[in-house]
Amino acid sequence: MYADDFLLEKLTLREADGALRSLKLSAAQIDFCSNDYLGLANQSLLGQLPALPQGATGSRLLSGNHPIHEKAEALIAQFHQVPAAVLFNSGYDANLGLLSAIAQKEDTILYDVLSHASIRDGIRLSRAQSFAFPHQDLSALEERLKKTSGRIFVVTESVFSMDGDMAPLHDMVQLCESHGAHLVVDEAHALGVIGEKGEGLVQHLGLADKVFARIVTFGKAAGVHGAAVLGSKRLASFLVNFARSLVYSTALSPHAVAAILRAYEVFPLLYEGREKLKNDIDVFRSAPLPFEKINSLTPIQGVKVGGNLAAQQLAARCQAKNLDVRPILYPTVPKGTERIRIILHAFNAPAELKLLLEVLTGPYPFSK
């Protein structure tokens, strides 16, 4: 056996915190866990896809560019009211490629402290200096903007992945405009859900021409795989030249891109699903529960229990009732805000939501 004892220390510390992760297969339970908000991951809802190659055979700059990539980018750009879109293999790759490429050594990146790990990693890979501002704290952001010179990028999620709250984009746009900063918005959890056609929060608020770049990811409400960066044609050209996660990655397969296209064709037709989500969100938010609920108007709901063990116990109670609910533990969320993260879906039946609320009501064998 290879002598890899040097890995043991950090694993042991994580186990002592009750936060050691392992891979598990999803059981055939009622889904209150996945990001499949609209049920599009069930391929039957997308219909039969055309016969296309399963592999791209190379990067987009070599052998991997197929007509369907360019067709998809044109349709996505049109849907999102921007001049151009560039496909990436995942939302993680998109954030990594965009943020590491656009910011130079003399630049500054300001980002919401609860931004996704892919945003943080993209910032680290850039050579720019960076500062986090407290979550949704625009006064703190403004103070930092006043102290910062040179080219500035402000980065936020439109819907935050753990708390489900929405960024105050109108105010952020005004701050960026008044200080000459460039706003970047990750729409991963807004695509398909927010807006009349599922176009996301930026367009829903009429800010499509006020944002430097948007990231839309397709592994959530779109039910498929991949991502795109939205912006100007100049930004698209810049990414094709300098975004390393694009330049040096085998492209999405034409078959995968066909699934993305189909999801965009379906989005505008899913009005009833989005309306059902709004109703279920109201039901969940109005239910009396013995825990602090996160303040969210999106399908990302949940209750904070405090402590990894308590979150694991509450999730286990739900799972024992055939409810697929997962604990979110420190260090994924700050210590003291450990929770179970509940995702509501357009396909969850009223009886399933009723059962979930009954289980969450208790009683519990552990302190809250």
Side-chain angles (χ1 to χ4, degrees):
M1 180 179 293
Y2 193 86
D4 59 359
D5 293 352
F6 62 93
L7 302 175
L8 186 59
E9 181 180 357
K10 292 189 73 172
L11 287 170
T12 301
L13 288 173
R14 180 152 286 190
E15 187 172 20
D17 283 339
L20 186 66
R21 302 179 177 111
S22 61
L23 298 176
K24 296 180 177 64
L25 293 173
S26 295
Q29 295 180 311
I30 299 168
D31 184 4
F32 284 105
C33 168
S34 79
N35 293 320
D36 184 24
Y37 302 119
L38 299 171
L40 290 183
N42 179 345
Q43 287 296 303
S44 65
L45 295 178
L46 294 179
Q48 185 66 37
L49 296 177
L52 288 165
Q54 295 288 344
T57 76
S59 73
R60 293 282 299 279
L61 288 168
L62 296 175
S63 60
N65 199 30
H66 187 280
I68 199 168
H69 290 89
E70 299 189 3
K71 178 181 178 181
E73 287 172 337
L75 181 145
I76 292 167
Q78 181 181 35
F79 183 90
H80 289 292
Q81 300 175 346
V82 289
V86 180
L87 288 170
F88 283 78
N89 286 8
S90 70
Y92 199 103
D93 281 343
N95 277 325
L96 226 60
L98 172 69
L99 295 170
S100 64
I102 60 172
Q104 309 304 310
K105 186 176 181 179
E106 64 275 12
D107 299 338
T108 301
I109 302 176
L110 309 179
Y111 63 98
D112 190 292
V113 71
L114 293 189
S115 294
H116 191 267
S118 60
I119 292 173
R120 291 169 172 264
D121 289 353
I123 292 170
R124 287 192 189 101
L125 287 174
S126 77
R127 294 183 294 166
Q129 62 178 340
S130 62
F131 301 94
F133 57 88
H135 182 52
Q136 309 282 43
D137 189 338
L138 297 190
S139 295
L141 172 59
E142 185 172 20
E143 285 304 307
R144 178 59 71 174
L145 284 166
K146 289 177 181 177
K147 298 175 182 177
T148 305
S149 59
R151 188 179 296 110
I152 308 168
F153 297 93
V154 176
V155 187
T156 186
E157 299 179 43
S158 59
V159 174
F160 283 84
S161 60
M162 287 297 134
D163 284 8
D165 53 337
M166 292 182 278
L169 291 182
H170 272 302
D171 292 337
M172 295 188 80
V173 163
Q174 289 178 4
L175 276 177
C176 288
E177 288 182 339
S178 63
H179 292 275
H182 307 282
L183 183 60
V184 176
V185 182
D186 185 333
E187 293 258 53
H189 291 276
L191 178 67
V193 177
I194 306 295
E196 183 180 351
K197 297 180 180 180
E199 60 270 20
L201 186 60
V202 170
Q203 279 170 265
H204 180 62
L205 297 176
L207 301 173
D209 60 347
K210 303 288 187 179
V211 173
F212 168 68
R214 279 178 276 165
I215 302 93
V216 289
T217 70
F218 310 135
K220 298 171 177 63
V224 289
H225 194 69
V229 174
L230 314 175
S232 68
K233 290 185 178 180
R234 185 173 294 159
L235 174 61
S237 177
F238 190 89
L239 294 174
V240 167
N241 281 276
F242 298 107
R244 294 171 70 85
S245 60
L246 171 69
V247 174
Y248 298 108
S249 287
T250 297
L252 283 167
S253 75
H255 188 269
V257 178
I260 295 168
L261 272 170
R262 189 60 57 83
Y264 269 86
E265 292 169 358
V266 170
F267 274 155
L269 308 178
L270 299 178
Y271 175 80
E272 290 184 3
R274 285 185 283 273
E275 287 299 305
K276 181 181 181 299
L277 277 175
K278 291 177 185 176
N279 179 72
D280 286 356
I281 290 165
D282 289 342
V283 170
F284 187 92
R285 283 171 55 83
S286 63
L289 297 177
F291 299 99
E292 178 190 354
K293 288 182 248 183
I294 63 172
N295 185 23
S296 167
L297 296 173
T298 71
I300 302 169
Q301 298 292 316
V303 294
K304 298 178 182 179
V305 297
N308 284 346
L309 179 59
Q312 290 166 330
Q313 288 176 326
L314 181 53
R317 180 184 178 97
C318 292
Q319 291 160 9
K321 296 294 185 179
N322 200 39
L323 301 168
D324 191 358
V325 171
R326 307 293 176 89
I328 305 297
L329 310 176
Y330 170 83
T332 300
V333 292
K335 191 177 285 290
T337 70
E338 297 86 356
R339 69 197 62 181
I340 61 167
R341 180 175 181 262
I342 295 161
I343 304 296
L344 303 177
H345 307 94
F347 55 80
N348 287 135
E352 294 172 343
L353 180 55
K354 181 174 182 289
L355 174 61
L356 173 67
L357 293 171
E358 289 173 352
V359 174
L360 292 177
T361 302
Y364 296 100
F366 55 91
S367 59
K368 302 187 283 292

